[in-house]
Amino acid sequence: MVAVFRKLWAVYAVGLFLGLMLIWAVPVLLFNMALTPGKSALRRNVRFLHHIFTPVYLALIGIRLRVEGLEHLSPAGAYVIVSNHVSALDFIVNARAFPGVFQFLAKQELHRVPVFGWVVKKMCLSVDRSNPLSRARSMALLQQRLEEGWSIFVYPEGRRNRSAEPLGPFYDGAFRVAIQTQRPVAVQTLVNMRDLCGKADGLDLRPGTVHIVWSPPIETTGLTQEDVPLLRQRVRREMLSHLAMYRASQPATSRA
């Protein structure tokens, strides 16, 4: 019965998301774009999605957030934000947990999703992972956005972690951009997302509280591209430590 409920709740969450996008978010985004075209509309639209649309949606699907470490962040700061990635709900939680606004680096395949794909195309920076030229162009856009004062968000794993390991392999892109622009890396760890969304693939969701930890940002001032491996390893260790602490805090029966 529990498995059936989780599947039905996931179907409800997906339908609600697409419905709210169509009847609420898209009209608001279009109105803002028509009112003041350009970069000011983009920032206002992203703020609407992250801090108005997202909390309403999360409340309606019974997801609450418990965020630690917000005191380490400045809403107006320009960070390279990284987080672990295990579920389709992550990007919504990621956005709500940050006090400012940022642009996601999103895979181009998301453009094909009805309604949501249009939002991704307009609000995010997209990359075709199979195309080296697209990847290089995306890295250049990330650097440009950071220089304009935006924070940018990159999943260092590149895609959802479908393995039994706490983290998948990390790519270098986020860390190269952070060092190149000398921007700090803000590390966000979703420590219990697998409790709520047990499967990286398929429909699986239950209401509950997502526990999120922000680590103190890692400064990159003075680092060079030779320091990319060390920076990548430091971020990975930071995430692993929070994941391990959460797992150790759970009753033995829940870890079995």
Side-chain angles (χ1 to χ4, degrees):
M1 285 299 295
V2 173
V4 172
F5 168 78
R6 291 177 69 116
K7 189 173 290 292
L8 290 174
W9 196 256
V11 170
Y12 159 70
V14 171
L16 180 66
F17 179 78
L18 293 175
L20 287 177
M21 274 283 169
L22 182 61
I23 67 175
W24 182 27
V26 170
V28 170
L29 301 181
L30 288 171
F31 175 78
N32 282 335
M33 292 164 65
L35 188 65
T36 53
K39 294 180 180 178
S40 61
L42 175 62
R43 186 172 290 272
R44 187 165 57 253
N45 277 340
V46 172
R47 186 171 298 279
F48 162 76
L49 289 172
H50 287 197
H51 299 296
I52 298 177
F53 177 88
T54 291
V56 170
Y57 172 70
L58 289 174
L60 290 173
I61 63 171
I63 300 295
R64 301 174 299 278
L65 305 187
R66 181 159 67 92
V67 185
E68 296 182 17
L70 280 174
E71 67 275 9
H72 302 312
L73 303 173
S74 167
Y79 303 99
V80 175
I81 306 169
V82 294
S83 179
N84 55 320
H85 191 20
V86 295
S87 81
L89 190 64
D90 291 353
F91 76 97
I92 299 176
V93 172
N94 298 144
R96 178 60 181 144
F98 184 63
V101 296
F102 59 75
Q103 280 195 284
F104 277 104
L105 179 65
K107 56 185 180 182
Q108 203 166 51
E109 299 95 292
L110 291 174
H111 292 183
R112 297 194 292 266
V113 179
V115 185
F116 178 62
W118 178 85
V119 176
V120 169
K121 189 173 183 179
K122 294 296 182 182
M123 300 296 115
C124 302
L125 303 170
S126 298
V127 59
D128 179 356
R129 293 179 302 197
S130 65
N131 186 331
L133 182 61
S134 175
R135 293 200 301 270
R137 188 180 298 116
S138 296
M139 290 301 107
L141 282 173
L142 290 179
Q143 181 176 348
Q144 179 183 329
R145 288 293 186 269
L146 286 163
E147 291 170 352
E148 292 172 352
W150 282 87
S151 290
I152 58 98
F153 189 107
V154 182
Y155 290 118
E157 295 165 286
R159 64 194 68 198
R160 287 180 236 167
N161 176 18
R162 293 171 168 84
S163 73
E165 297 299 319
L167 293 174
F170 277 15
Y171 293 94
D172 287 346
F175 311 110
R176 291 191 180 281
V177 169
I179 289 175
Q180 189 167 344
T181 57
Q182 299 287 280
R183 294 298 194 276
V185 178
V187 184
Q188 181 193 93
T189 308
L190 309 180
V191 301
N192 70 328
M193 185 59 83
R194 277 181 167 163
D195 294 347
L196 279 69
C197 306
K199 298 177 181 177
D201 293 313
L203 295 168
D204 184 33
L205 178 67
R206 69 166 176 84
T209 300
V210 180
H211 182 193
I212 302 148
V213 180
W214 287 102
S215 303
I218 301 172
E219 295 295 334
T220 60
T221 304
L223 298 184
T224 69
Q225 294 299 316
E226 293 181 356
D227 298 306
V228 166
L230 290 176
L231 179 59
R232 184 187 66 236
Q233 293 164 15
R234 181 176 174 183
V235 169
R236 187 179 181 85
R237 285 196 302 270
E238 192 73 27
M239 289 187 190
L240 285 172
S241 69
H242 290 302
L243 292 167
M245 283 190 289
Y246 172 76
R247 183 169 174 78
S249 71
Q250 300 306 294
T253 53
S254 68
R255 285 181 275 151

